[in-house]
Amino acid sequence: MPDPLLVIEHASFEPMGLLATWLSEAGVAALRCMPYVGDRIPESLDGFSGLLVMGGPQSAADPEAK
């Protein structure tokens, strides 16, 4: 079995959604890493087939951002 894909989710409201379904249907295992609940991001990609980084609330167009 191939190594899983590492998926980093930055916020609970930005989940994998349909990507989870598509990956599963393609036979790709995904390991979710959720730093916002205390998961530690692995220091290397050893043991993973790739990396998928989900979005977050950041916005370059946000006038309130500092």
Side-chain angles (χ1 to χ4, degrees):
M1 182 171 211
D3 292 335
L5 178 69
L6 175 60
V7 180
I8 299 177
E9 291 183 2
H10 291 289
S12 62
F13 52 85
E14 297 287 352
M16 291 175 59
L18 286 175
L19 288 173
T21 301
W22 297 333
L23 290 170
S24 177
E25 289 174 353
V28 177
L31 176 69
R32 292 171 57 204
C33 177
M34 299 171 286
Y36 60 92
V37 297
D39 291 350
R40 293 180 52 101
I41 298 174
E43 293 185 17
S44 86
L45 292 177
D46 291 344
F48 295 102
S49 62
L51 174 65
L52 175 62
V53 180
M54 303 305 296
Q58 308 83 356
S59 172
D62 184 356
E64 299 298 318
K66 300 195 190 263

